[in-house]
Structures are given as structure tokens and as C-alpha cells.
Amino acid sequence: MAAIGSLVFCTDCGNLLDGSAGKEDAILTCQVCGAKNKDTSSKTIVTHSKPTAFPSSLRAKRSEVQTITEADIQTHAVTSQSCEKCHREEVRYYTQQLRGADEGTTVFYECDCGHKWNTNN
């Protein structure tokens, strides 16, 4: 069996063997050829890194806390459709499938003045 640092290879077939996790006089069995050999690795290497060791813009965004209220959430899209009542140029709308699947959707419009109307596509 050959060892390079903490990596141990089977001398019969060259397969990378599972480590012994620091156990002295451990016998490692090759999963390919079945050869049994003594663990001759010189050391076990364990690495630890801090989250700040690898900075990223994604990690920075994740750490920023944002408070969102229900008023901040926009539930309807806005379109440039003129209101028939107050003539405002932008109104909220949403679509819904009310008729058969082979028919178009119904578009519901709502203005800030309270006027509501719909059209069939």
C-alpha cells in the first residue's frame, strides 16, 4: 500500500482507500480488489475555515436583514390603461381564467379612485 500524506492507495490495483480516521494499526480493505493492508498514512489532515475566509456578494446580501410590511407587497400589476371614471393613466390589474380552457382570460382592472371594470380576452 502506498501513502501520500493522508491519502492511502491500494498497492494491488491503485484504488484510493477509505482512511482510518486516525486509528493506529488499522487494516484497510480495498473495495475494488479486496486486498487487506495496514494503514501507512503519515498524518490525518483536517481543515476548518471561517465564513469570512471566502467573502462573496451573495453571503453579504443574505446577512442584511430587511423588514417588509404587508403594504410593501404589491399584489396587482400596473398597466398604462386609462380609467373611464377619473381618467388616471395607470391602473392595477390581474387576470383570471373564468371560462373554458380554450377561451381567453378575463382581465380585471381597478383604479385608485375605486372604479372597477373587466374585459374578456
Side-chain angles (χ1 to χ4, degrees):
M1 181 173 348
I4 301 172
S6 64
L7 300 176
V8 182
F9 298 92
C10 177
T11 55
D12 292 349
C13 68
N15 182 44
L16 178 63
L17 301 175
D18 291 332
S20 64
K23 296 178 186 174
E24 292 185 24
D25 300 326
I27 302 296
L28 301 176
T29 304
C30 180
Q31 294 179 357
V32 175
C33 68
K36 295 184 186 288
N37 293 296
K38 186 177 177 183
D39 184 4
T40 58
S41 64
S42 60
K43 56 189 167 188
T44 301
I45 299 172
V46 179
T47 60
H48 298 279
S49 62
K50 296 179 183 177
T52 57
F54 302 99
S56 70
S57 59
L58 179 61
R59 185 175 286 126
K61 287 180 183 179
R62 187 178 67 186
S63 65
E64 294 176 4
V65 177
Q66 298 178 354
T67 304
I68 298 175
T69 62
E70 190 172 329
D72 294 332
I73 301 172
Q74 185 176 358
T75 57
H76 298 299
V78 177
T79 186
S80 59
Q81 175 82 19
S82 180
C83 174
E84 299 167 349
K85 187 175 180 183
C86 72
H87 305 291
R88 175 174 268 139
E89 293 298 319
E90 286 189 343
V91 294
R92 292 182 307 277
Y93 76 97
Y94 65 96
T95 62
Q96 201 167 15
Q97 185 72 39
L98 298 179
R99 296 169 288 154
D102 60 339
E103 307 270 341
T105 58
T106 302
V107 181
F108 293 91
Y109 297 97
E110 183 178 342
C111 184
D112 288 338
C113 71
H115 182 61
K116 298 179 183 181
W117 72 99
N118 64 44
T119 59
N120 293 321
N121 285 340

